[in-house]
Amino acid sequence: MSTETLIDADLAWAAFERRDRSFDGKFVGAVKTTGIYCKPSCPARHPKRAHVSFFRDGEAARAAGYRACLRCKPDEVGRERVAVAQAIELLEAAEEVVSLDELAMRVGYAPHHFHRLFKRATGVTPAAYARGLRAGKAAQALSTEDRVTDAIYEAGYSGPSRFYAEAGKRLGMTPSAWKRGGAGVTIRWAVAKTSLGPLLIAATDKGLCRVSFEEGEEALKRRFPNADIQSGGKALAELAEKVVAEVEHPERHHDLPLDVQGTAFQEAVWQALRAIPAGETRSYADLAAIAGNPKAVRAAGTACGANHLAVVIPCHRAHRSDGSMGGYAYGIERKVELLKREGVE
């Protein structure tokens, strides 16, 4: 049985043609004319399809007589993914702040190098990821603890001052307001016209809290029953224009302010989604691994479904491990069209 019979050669070649990073580490392509094997995202000029064979990993390619590409360094992919996964486990288990130097040392990398590869893999720095974990725990604790102070310590903060400095900004509202279901928070909204249908755009003073197709004021009130819901506003109009541009011209990415909350795992998945460049996709398995729990593939899909910000957090770029489309809260036709606009067929 040949190696290619174990790999979907058409799927693999398509990944190479679009230089899809989501397939890095899943297989390598070996070029008969050069004797070199590469990862799918290798930036080198593509050889002819007839000259390429696919292997499950670098070890199998080397056994067949090939050597690693010095440009894309395919053998480092697996090691980097393991290191990032280990670092995420360490951050999730830590009861106190873990410094970059200590984190890098424990996974076997120089601090500056690991800082870059962690951000490339997750979309955020190790410090920002850790802050997100603490804020996620705080959000959960605030919904179950009777006292805000108890929730602060339950979430792993050293004291109230640290919590208010970090989590308050992350949650986008004060802890007391969060405890009361958003009471005292003003949310401004508008429905904008797009080529894919009407789009609800809503934001607090901190950032976008809801972006969704085919919804209006009533849907917003159901989601935020204790907030002060107001229509329009100049600041919202400017923000809405940028959101519409994300729909119509996805290649023109805007770094938009967000005010959304979820569990620590959900927020990690959302961060991973935001790190996917336009024109690329990731599987739910990839997202689960980046979020620190490779076995939580179904939970990664659920996190995509729980996404508050359509298009802005691009869950349309997520697919099943077999390459099939998967679901989309606003209809599979919209998902197909969004991907088509990004050059993904």
Side-chain angles (χ1 to χ4, degrees):
M1 182 180 293
S2 68
T3 301
E4 286 213 32
T5 61
L6 302 176
I7 299 171
D8 186 326
D10 290 337
L11 178 65
W13 177 246
F16 267 86
E17 283 193 309
R18 63 178 182 268
R19 295 184 171 87
D20 194 332
R21 292 180 182 274
S22 69
F23 285 90
D24 287 352
K26 295 183 177 179
F27 51 77
V28 297
V31 185
K32 299 173 185 176
T33 53
T34 62
I36 290 173
Y37 65 89
C38 302
K39 61 186 180 184
S41 66
C42 182
R45 181 179 178 182
H46 288 135
K48 293 182 178 179
R49 169 66 184 90
H51 297 160
V52 181
S53 298
F54 298 103
F55 295 87
R56 64 183 180 276
D57 53 32
E59 183 179 358
R62 290 193 298 275
Y66 294 92
R67 65 186 187 279
C69 173
L70 296 178
R71 185 171 182 180
C72 71
K73 300 178 180 179
D75 294 334
E76 293 187 5
V77 175
R79 180 178 173 233
E80 290 177 355
R81 286 189 173 182
V82 169
V84 170
Q86 289 176 338
I88 288 173
E89 288 182 5
L90 289 169
L91 291 173
E92 290 184 335
E95 295 183 0
E96 297 180 353
V97 175
V98 181
S99 70
L100 174 62
D101 287 350
E102 180 182 356
L103 193 64
M105 179 190 69
R106 293 180 67 175
V107 298
Y109 279 87
H112 66 283
H113 184 190
F114 186 68
H115 187 274
R116 287 200 304 271
L117 84 86
F118 189 97
K119 186 173 182 179
R120 184 172 66 240
T122 66
V124 295
T125 66
Y129 189 93
R131 288 195 296 271
L133 287 174
R134 287 195 295 275
K137 291 177 182 178
Q140 291 177 305
L142 283 165
S143 66
T144 57
E145 295 289 343
D146 292 331
R147 299 196 318 156
V148 169
T149 303
D150 294 335
I152 288 173
Y153 289 106
E154 177 68 21
Y157 290 91
S158 58
S161 61
R162 175 62 65 181
F163 174 78
Y164 280 86
E166 289 186 10
K169 295 178 182 179
R170 179 65 174 161
L171 295 174
M173 60 184 76
T174 67
S176 296
W178 178 261
K179 180 68 179 176
R180 297 194 306 270
V185 176
T186 298
I187 296 178
R188 294 177 174 82
W189 68 279
V191 173
K193 292 182 179 180
T194 78
S195 58
L196 295 182
L199 187 68
L200 171 68
I201 301 168
T204 67
D205 291 338
K206 297 292 185 180
L208 294 164
C209 62
R210 184 69 179 170
V211 175
S212 55
F213 290 101
E214 307 292 346
E215 285 189 343
E217 183 180 10
E218 290 305 313
L220 193 63
K221 287 181 176 178
R222 287 195 298 271
R223 289 182 176 275
F224 303 98
N226 297 322
D228 178 17
I229 308 293
Q230 298 183 10
S231 176
K234 181 179 179 181
L236 179 66
E238 295 175 354
L239 189 58
E241 184 177 346
K242 294 179 181 179
V243 174
V244 171
E246 295 274 318
V247 176
E248 308 297 353
H249 306 286
E251 75 282 0
R252 303 176 188 174
H253 175 69
H254 298 87
D255 188 14
L256 300 173
L258 311 185
D259 186 1
V260 292
Q261 299 85 37
T263 66
F265 181 78
Q266 285 175 332
E267 292 195 11
V269 170
W270 298 341
Q271 290 283 10
L273 287 167
R274 294 194 78 201
I276 304 174
E280 295 186 16
T281 60
R282 299 289 185 272
S283 70
Y284 298 125
D286 291 328
L287 295 172
I290 293 171
N293 191 346
K295 295 181 180 180
V297 178
R298 181 171 295 181
T302 301
C304 290
N307 173 22
H308 302 282
L309 305 178
V311 184
V312 178
I313 296 177
C315 57
H316 62 276
R317 295 175 189 162
H319 59 76
R320 295 188 178 124
S321 295
D322 62 4
S324 61
M325 194 68 63
Y328 191 58
Y330 307 105
I332 198 67
E333 295 81 7
R334 281 195 177 97
K335 184 172 186 176
V336 171
E337 179 58 29
L338 285 167
L339 291 172
K340 185 177 179 180
R341 293 180 182 188
E342 297 180 12
V344 179
E345 298 294 338

